[in-house]
Amino acid sequence: MALDPAASGVRAELAAEGVKVAQPITTSIDTGVCVVLLDNTGERTFVTGSGAETAVGDPLPDLDASDIGYVSGYSLVVPEKAGQVLAMRGGTLLVDPGPLVADIDPDVWTRTLARSAVLSCNDREAQLLTGLSDPLDAARELATRVPPQAVVVVRIGAGGCVVAQNGTVQAVPSISVDVLDTNGAGDAHCGWFAAELLRGTDVLEAARRANIAAAIAVTRSGPATAPTRSEVDARAS
């Protein structure tokens, strides 16, 4: 099946990073496109056109017991697609509702939270989910909606993040940087947090290092600007 131009680019980028694609292409739907608008402070907003990422295809492969599955809200806005995601067995799920959080079906969201080992969202998304403007209060409330052993992370931009776990809520500060482009900061944070957990890093230290990674990412232009481990190590010491 022929790839659309965007899909070809995505596959090339994945291959360059050594990321394996687990499933064959089974849809002719074009890859979704997200147009990012930046203001002069580096803050961004999205104009999104969904595509193949919301398509319902073959069942998704199960995760290995040691895996962390990173689930985006873009895959939850279509209930049938969400059903495929939630049918995956094994591993643990890190869920980031993303900017489409208000478009996720409430029943789907409840089922997703019941499966979540980590819920990571920014302060705007946390407020939309809880009605609470204080990130500490929002994290505390979200922690009541996930399994008792789960971790809730509320990302607060330059302030770092708030982590709720085991009945406690704690702010984890970030480093100071000159912001160029905030696009992709949340993705960098989630990716680094998951990677640190896979390495056996303590949750709060994983959050601190994820803060650093996201901070470095916003000093660069573009969506795929996550730093290398050596770059984070240099700022984490």
Side-chain angles (χ1 to χ4, degrees):
M1 182 176 295
L3 293 174
D4 67 90
S8 297
V10 170
R11 292 236 165 176
E13 292 289 340
L14 291 172
E17 295 293 335
V19 178
K20 295 180 180 179
V21 178
Q23 289 185 293
I25 300 169
T26 58
T27 178
S28 59
I29 300 173
D30 285 352
T31 302
V33 175
C34 185
V35 178
V36 182
L37 307 176
L38 290 173
D39 65 18
N40 58 7
T41 70
E43 286 299 321
R44 88 290 182 270
T45 190
F46 299 133
V47 179
T48 302
S50 297
E53 69 280 0
T54 63
V56 180
D58 293 340
L60 299 174
D62 292 334
L63 301 172
D64 290 338
S66 59
D67 286 344
I68 293 178
Y70 180 11
V71 177
S72 163
Y74 287 98
S75 292
L76 299 175
V77 292
V78 176
E80 293 81 7
K81 178 70 172 185
Q84 288 190 311
V85 172
L86 297 177
M88 290 189 300
R89 296 175 295 181
T92 56
L93 297 186
L94 184 157
V95 176
D96 178 4
L100 299 184
V101 57
D103 297 325
I104 300 173
D105 179 84
D107 178 64
V108 167
W109 188 238
T110 298
R111 291 162 53 210
T112 301
L113 290 178
R115 284 284 315 278
S116 300
V118 179
L119 171 64
S120 181
C121 57
N122 65 29
D123 48 359
R124 172 186 173 274
E125 295 153 4
Q127 183 172 358
L128 287 172
L129 288 169
T130 65
L132 301 171
S133 59
D134 186 291
L136 289 164
D137 292 337
R140 188 175 292 107
E141 168 58 27
L142 289 170
T144 68
R145 306 181 187 181
V146 295
Q149 70 276 15
V151 175
V152 172
V153 178
V154 177
R155 308 184 303 269
I156 51 177
C161 67
V162 171
V163 176
Q165 62 168 338
N166 300 325
T168 64
V169 182
Q170 184 169 336
V172 181
S174 187
I175 59 174
S176 178
V177 297
D178 293 325
V179 176
L180 176 63
D181 182 350
T182 60
N183 185 28
D187 299 318
H189 196 285
C190 286
W192 266 88
F193 190 72
E196 290 294 337
L197 293 182
L198 287 169
R199 285 166 60 90
T201 306
D202 169 81
V203 167
L204 293 180
E205 176 63 11
R208 185 179 78 91
R209 293 178 68 85
N211 287 346
I212 294 170
I216 295 172
V218 302
T219 66
R220 301 166 177 171
S221 180
T225 53
T228 63
R229 180 163 296 280
S230 61
E231 290 175 307
V232 173
D233 287 344
R235 299 297 300 267
S237 57

